[in-house]
Amino acid sequence: MTAPIAPATTSASPAPADPPSTPPAPAAARVPRRGSSRAGRTLHAGPLAYGILIVAVLFSAFPFYWTIVAASRSNADLAKVPPTLLPGPNLIRNFEAVLEEADIGKALLNSLIVSGSITLGTVLCCTLAGFAFAKLRFRGRGALLAITIGTMMIPPQLGVIPLFMLIAELGWVNQLQAVILPGLVSAFGVFFMRQYLVQSLPDELIEAARVDGASTARIFWSIVVPIARPGMAVLGLLTFMAAWNDFFWPVVALTSSEPTVQVALRQLGGGYVHDQSVIMAGTLLGTLPVLLVFGLLGRQIVGGIMQGAVKG
């Protein structure tokens, strides 16, 4: 008797598993597209925005353009109604008149010495003071900071007479140090660098440097200065422009034998009828160095500010 054959069981092969899907990137790691808003919409400037920007640029650049036009014309051309708006052929002639009426070369050199010295001193001293007020703990810090900021409310004209008496006692009248030393530190610079270092300098860096045995001077030169470089560049540019354009105190402390640019410009266009074209030519010569400095350092300053903001 033949044994019954058991029916063969068909074993079904297991279905292949789905490939593991890539987990979505966390929200913090997603990089938004450039120009996108929070709602995901791309923002574009419209014609109105571009029109407002163009008008603002024209209004800002027109005074400098008019200086070029006036410096290249004669005094009779400037008196015409309506005035001409195109440059003329007298620019070189007016520059020669400026060199004859005032020692503009010596004035440019003196202004460079004064502005450079004031800029270096202000940046260094204000960065030191800003670091002390921002990160160091000492008795009376709040009161000293309040007094420093309070000096910004006092008009500088009130201190002209005692300051002139002081430099007269020191024998510094008509000498460049009489203009340099009073401007080596500014309350605005101290407050500016203090606010910058409060935001951009972490306390952990200073504590780590203390643990490694670094002194306060080493911390300042190795940690504070590299971090504060963008703020120092901005403060340096603002200080240089203010020192270069200063007229009130240099005209009090200096004479025509040791002039700065602003004091030398006072000697131009003399006579019964002032020659406005010669005055404008001297003004153009005094403005070109500031524009040159801003053209060379402006991009680096803006880039340094953006880089410091991203790192912060």
Side-chain angles (χ1 to χ4, degrees), residues 208-263:
R210 296 287 189 192
V211 171
D212 292 339
S215 62
T216 303
R218 179 64 182 274
I219 292 173
F220 177 78
W221 291 111
S222 301
I223 297 178
V224 177
V225 171
I227 292 177
R229 192 171 299 163
M232 295 168 66
V234 175
L235 179 61
L237 179 61
L238 296 177
T239 304
F240 182 86
M241 294 178 62
W244 185 275
N245 296 323
D246 189 18
F247 172 76
F248 183 70
W249 177 242
V251 80
V252 172
L254 302 177
T255 62
S256 58
S257 61
E258 287 289 338
T260 58
V261 169
Q262 311 306 325
V263 177

Side-chain angles (χ1 to χ4, degrees), residues 275-293:
D275 194 341
Q276 299 295 332
S277 60
V278 176
I279 296 175
M280 287 298 182
T283 303
L284 182 60
L285 284 176
T287 306
L288 290 179
V290 180
L291 295 178
L292 180 62
V293 171

Side-chain angles (χ1 to χ4, degrees), residues 95-147:
F95 281 163
E96 293 175 352
V98 169
L99 296 177
E100 292 176 0
E101 296 182 15
D103 193 357
I104 199 68
K106 186 176 183 179
L108 289 173
L109 179 60
N110 289 341
S111 290
L112 182 62
I113 294 174
V114 170
S115 302
S117 302
I118 291 177
T119 300
L120 292 177
T122 299
V123 170
L124 177 60
C125 296
C126 291
T127 304
L128 281 167
F131 168 60
F133 283 124
K135 297 300 178 180
L136 300 183
R137 301 292 183 266
F138 55 91
R139 183 177 300 177
R141 183 183 65 168
L144 289 176
L145 180 61
I147 294 173

